[in-house]
Structures are given as structure tokens and as C-alpha cells.
Amino acid sequence: MASDGGRKQFWKRSGAKVPGSIQHVYGAQHPPFDPLLHGTLVKPGSKPPTTPVKLKKVSTFQEFESNTSDAWDLGDDDDELLAIAAENLNTEVVMETAHKVIENHSKLQEQHKFQEEHLQEEKQVESVELTSTACGDNRLVKSISEGHTSSSSDNASENTSMQRSQSLPQTSTPPLVSGMADCNASVTPALTEREASRLDKFKLLLAGPNTDLEELRKLSWSGIPKRVRPIAWKLLSGYLPANVDRRESTLQRKRKEYFAFVEQYYDSRNDENHQDTYRQIHIDIPRMSPEVLRLQPKVTEIFERILFIWAIRHPASGYVQGINDLATPFFVVFICEYIEEEEVENFDVSSLPEEVLQNIEADSYWCMSKLLDGIQDNYTFAQPGIQKKVKMLEELVSRIDEQVHRHLDLHEVKYLQFAFRWMNNLLMREVPLRCTIRLWDTYQCSELPSVSSFIFLPFFSVSILVVIPV
């Protein structure tokens, strides 16, 4: 009897882990760990429950064996999975299904957008009716409770606006320009909840004494809000330091340095040595994008100075066609620092004060120079940087979509024939200006500009060939 009792005690479960025992596995095929449902898996160091819990009876080996007798049974699931994997998938069926999913997704987005627009229109109609009623009576009667509620909500909104304005770094704005911004503030569309949340993240990051550039790159990868894009681009390009106290002195010094170059070199544009360079710049500026902005005489004058000074100070490459397009995004973004209009292309640049235009010109020159420092081999002899990108594009297309690659090869279309301009202008002439600026948010997210432009640009070019329907 003693031996039987010892045998039963031997097969009782102990708290220690036994080699070969079954443990719960939580991964891709199992739900996440829930302490309420899996109380037995709580670690020994966890807090003991405050309420007394009734201890469970220790299970015997017979119970354990009966509960796990089917653990190693062969099911039919494996055979079904193997049979499915053995079948060859039909490419046409896969593509057709993918197109249907995309179409359904786009339809849902359109319906959602239509509903939002409808709600906004209803709100606008209600606000107009309330305004007209208040204006017709020349007075608005409120109860005491309503008056207290409105005053408290006004105070809360004022406090929120004060906090947001203080979190954003202050920039010096001339009085005339600040007046224009106030007049156009009502034209600015309201931000969505997601956009407001992202804007608050950027403001909080930029409000510190030292901006964390690594964190700024992570936030900027998925786009930069328009209100903070000028300061973010200046930081990401390396034009401004991360320390807030040094920024104003750096801006003043670099702007003076640029106009010292203008005074020193710009008068030499008519010299025999520089006539060819200046003539080519004068020819290329009317080809710039956007069309409306380039036709303004003040814009033409500014771009002539920027491009000529850069060519004189970089004799290894000099001026090459296509560099003129790279100054446009910086110029347009830095104008938005002083105005509130959505359509910058139609804005009269000459209406800005001369001091503001000089600041925009100098900032555009230095940021363009920082960008070109990383991709200057795109514009040296034989342009090896562009040839590397085009070759990378060809290899990517051949791996991702062999059918498109064979089609181009069958019709003897060389990648260099159509992709050269893509890489030369960083897709400036292939997509609208607003899309270009969004792409440049991502271009500048790498610590080394050359890495960003060499890696990201060919992949986006592949999407133009493979994804976008012709």
C-alpha cells in the first residue's frame, strides 16, 4: 500500500517545468495573452490577488493524460493546406481580385468623402441661418446658464489657442505680411482630427530648446503639415542648427553671406567666361513648373540670381539643365511661411515686402545647395549618379513586373530614354507641385541626402511604371 501511495504521489503535477511538457504558445496563430483568461500563466513576481481564492485540487497524471491524449493526433488540416499550396495560382485571377479590392476601396472612400462634404454643407447652412437671424433682430437673447456656458467655452478655447501658439517657434514676420496672414486666416480650411494631432506633435517637437532631428525625420517620413513645413525643411536640410538659440543668428549670417556672393559675382554674368552659363539659365527658367509662378518678372529675377551664384560657386559641375527645377519647391514652401493662401501658384510675389523676398531668396539658395551637395554626381561629367538610378530602376522592374520589362524590351524602349528626366528633375515634371512637395518631405528624411534620393526615388519610379494604369 505504501508503494501505491508513493506511486500516486510521484505522478502528481509539480510547479516546476518538466522537459517535454506542453506550454502555451502565443504567436501569430493564437490570441494575445489575457491575464483574466490565463491566470495560471502569471509570473511568480506578479502581485498576489487581494481577495482570497479557493485553491484547485492537484490533478493527477491520469487526468493530464486524458486531457492531452489527442495532442499529437493527425488532423485533416495539414493535408488541405498542402493541397492548396500545391495548386498553381492563376495570375489573371489574382490581378482581377486585386483590382476589385482597389475599386471597392476607392468607392468606399468616395462615399465617405461625399458624406463628409454633405455634413459640412449642412453645418454651413445652419451657421448662415443663425447669423442671419441674429443680424435681423440686432440682438441675441440668452439665458443666464447659456451665458455662463458660452463664457467658459470661450475661455477654454482661448487657453488652448494660447498653448498651441506658444508651442510653435516664433519667426520674425514684417507687419505688412502679418496683416496679410490675419486677413487670409479665415480662408484657411479647418484641419481634420488626424491633421490637428500631427500638427501638435510637430509643434511639441519644435518647441524644445534642442530639436531631436532623428525624431523629426521619423515624423516627417509620412508628410509634414503645411504650417511647420518651412522650419522643418530648413532643419532637415541642415541649413538651420537644432539649437533654438542659434537659429536667428545663423539665419542673419547666412543671408548676409548669400547677398555678399550676389554683390561679388552677379555683375560678372555678362563676362565672356560666364555668358554661356547665364544664357542657358535664362533659357531654362521659362520651362520651370508651375507655369503661372514662372511668368512673374520678380520670380524670374530671383531664380536667375540663385542659379547663377550656385553655378559660379560649383565649378566642378557648373549649371546643368534640370537644376532650375530643384529650386522651385524650396521657393514655394518658404513663401508659405509668410502667406496663408492655398494656391501659391497664383499668388502675386511682387506684393510681398522686399525684405521678405530677400529672406526667401537666400533661404532657397542655401537649402538647394545642401540638397545638391548630396547628389552632385547627377550633374558632373557623364552624370554617373543618374545612370546608377536608371540602372537600379531597370533591375527593380525586371524583378517586380517581368511582363512590363519584356514589353519595353520587345519594343526596344530603353529605360534611359524616359527615366533620365525623372532622375534628373527628381520627378518635378511628372507629378503636380503639391505631390512633389509631399515627396520632398520624404526625400529629406535621411541623414545623408544622397541615400534618400538614390534609394527612394527609383522605387517611386517603379510605381509609376507598374502600378499606375496607362
Side-chain angles (χ1 to χ4, degrees):
M1 293 296 294
S3 61
D4 293 341
R7 189 176 304 169
K8 289 182 180 180
Q9 292 295 329
F10 174 78
W11 289 115
K12 284 187 178 180
R13 291 182 60 182
S14 62
K17 294 183 179 180
V18 180
S21 61
I22 297 177
Q23 302 293 333
H24 290 277
V25 178
Y26 296 93
Q29 298 177 353
H30 297 273
F33 176 78
D34 190 350
L36 298 177
L37 300 178
H38 306 88
T40 57
L41 297 180
V42 177
K43 294 182 179 179
S46 61
K47 232 177 180 183
T50 54
T51 57
V53 180
K54 187 177 180 180
L55 296 176
K56 294 183 179 180
K57 185 180 179 180
V58 180
S59 60
T60 60
F61 175 75
Q62 286 78 11
E63 295 176 1
F64 172 78
E65 184 180 15
S66 62
N67 291 333
T68 60
S69 60
D70 60 341
W72 288 273
D73 288 350
L74 295 176
D76 299 330
D77 295 339
D78 296 335
D79 297 334
E80 293 179 1
L81 292 174
L82 292 174
I84 293 172
E87 294 179 2
N88 293 325
L89 294 177
N90 192 339
T91 308
E92 295 180 358
V93 175
V94 172
M95 294 300 294
E96 183 181 355
T97 306
H99 284 302
K100 287 181 180 178
V101 172
I102 294 173
E103 289 176 0
N104 293 335
H105 182 67
S106 60
K107 288 179 181 178
L108 290 174
Q109 283 185 332
E110 290 176 359
Q111 292 176 359
H112 183 64
K113 185 177 180 182
F114 176 76
Q115 291 175 357
E116 288 183 349
E117 292 176 353
H118 185 64
L119 290 174
Q120 289 179 358
E121 289 177 358
E122 290 181 353
K123 289 180 181 178
Q124 290 176 357
V125 171
E126 290 176 0
S127 62
V128 170
E129 291 176 354
L130 291 173
T131 306
S132 61
T133 305
C135 294
D137 296 340
N138 289 328
R139 60 195 177 89
L140 204 61
V141 180
K142 288 185 179 181
S143 64
I144 297 174
S145 60
E146 288 176 349
H148 287 298
T149 306
S150 62
S151 62
S152 62
S153 62
D154 292 340
N155 293 333
S157 62
E158 288 177 2
N159 293 334
T160 306
S161 62
M162 284 291 293
Q163 291 176 358
R164 290 187 178 180
S165 62
Q166 291 174 0
S167 64
L168 185 64
Q170 299 295 327
T171 55
S172 58
T173 306
L176 177 61
V177 179
S178 61
M180 293 171 58
D182 293 337
C183 294
N184 293 325
S186 59
V187 184
T188 306
L191 297 176
T192 63
E193 185 178 353
R194 181 178 179 276
E195 291 172 343
S197 175
R198 282 185 55 78
L199 180 60
D200 290 339
K201 288 181 181 180
F202 274 91
K203 286 181 177 180
L204 184 63
L205 180 62
L206 296 171
N210 289 286
T211 303
D212 187 353
L213 296 180
E214 187 62 32
E215 187 64 26
L216 181 61
R217 292 187 187 99
K218 291 178 181 178
L219 279 177
S220 303
W221 176 262
S222 55
I224 304 174
K226 183 180 178 181
R227 297 182 187 179
V228 295
R229 183 174 279 130
I231 183 69
W233 277 26
K234 291 173 186 177
L235 288 168
L236 291 172
S237 63
Y239 174 45
L240 285 184
N243 185 271
V244 177
D245 297 333
R246 294 173 50 207
R247 288 177 190 169
E248 189 61 33
S249 60
T250 302
L251 282 175
Q252 294 178 1
R253 176 173 55 83
K254 300 298 282 184
R255 288 166 180 172
K256 288 180 181 179
E257 188 177 349
Y258 167 73
F259 283 102
F261 294 152
V262 172
E263 186 177 355
Q264 182 179 358
Y265 297 117
Y266 192 62
D267 290 338
S268 65
R269 63 188 182 279
N270 295 321
D271 293 351
E272 186 177 355
N273 297 336
H274 303 146
Q275 276 185 357
D276 293 339
T277 300
Y278 182 73
R279 181 170 53 84
Q280 188 62 53
I281 292 173
H282 197 70
I283 293 172
D284 288 346
I285 285 179
R287 303 172 181 171
M288 284 174 12
S289 176
E291 297 180 358
V292 181
L293 186 63
R294 75 190 182 201
L295 297 177
Q296 301 182 31
K298 195 66 179 177
V299 177
T300 302
E301 178 186 342
I302 290 173
F303 273 82
E304 283 181 355
R305 283 197 294 265
I306 290 175
L307 298 173
F308 184 78
I309 298 302
W310 189 89
I312 294 299
R313 288 184 49 78
H314 295 81
S317 62
Y319 175 76
V320 179
Q321 284 181 311
I323 295 180
N324 57 313
D325 286 325
L326 305 185
T328 305
F330 292 112
F331 185 78
V332 171
V333 167
F334 295 154
I335 283 181
C336 295
E337 192 174 3
Y338 301 96
I339 66 174
E340 292 290 337
E341 294 188 12
E342 286 297 315
E343 298 294 333
V344 184
E345 299 93 329
N346 302 323
F347 179 74
D348 184 9
V349 176
S350 60
S351 63
L352 290 172
E354 189 63 29
E355 181 185 356
V356 171
L357 289 175
Q358 289 179 356
N359 293 343
I360 294 172
E361 179 180 346
D363 296 346
S364 301
Y365 168 80
W366 287 114
C367 288
M368 186 193 75
S369 299
K370 292 288 186 180
L371 177 72
L372 288 171
D373 286 346
I375 56 173
Q376 195 166 359
D377 58 347
N378 283 14
Y379 307 104
T380 55
F381 177 73
Q383 298 178 284
I386 293 179
Q387 295 193 35
K388 289 178 183 177
K389 291 179 186 177
V390 174
K391 185 64 177 176
M392 182 179 179
L393 172 63
E394 183 177 356
E395 293 176 355
L396 287 171
V397 174
S398 64
R399 284 188 293 165
I400 295 172
D401 197 329
E402 190 177 357
Q403 185 178 357
V404 172
H405 180 70
R406 288 181 179 176
H407 178 76
L408 294 174
D409 187 52
L410 178 64
H411 293 277
E412 298 182 355
V413 178
K414 302 299 181 183
Y415 284 82
L416 201 63
Q417 295 173 347
F418 61 88
F420 180 85
R421 191 177 78 169
W422 298 3
M423 309 304 174
N424 189 48
N425 303 320
L426 302 182
L427 294 172
M428 270 288 299
R429 300 189 185 181
E430 317 308 322
V431 295
L433 179 63
R434 65 181 185 278
C435 298
T436 299
I437 292 175
R438 169 60 189 89
L439 282 173
W440 282 43
D441 290 344
T442 305
Y443 284 159
Q444 302 184 79
C445 286
S446 175
E447 188 172 357
L448 300 174
S450 59
V451 174
S452 171
S453 57
F454 270 106
I455 299 299
F456 177 72
L457 182 60
F459 279 93
F460 186 78
S461 302
V462 171
S463 67
I464 295 178
L465 283 174
V466 176
V467 179
I468 298 178
V470 180

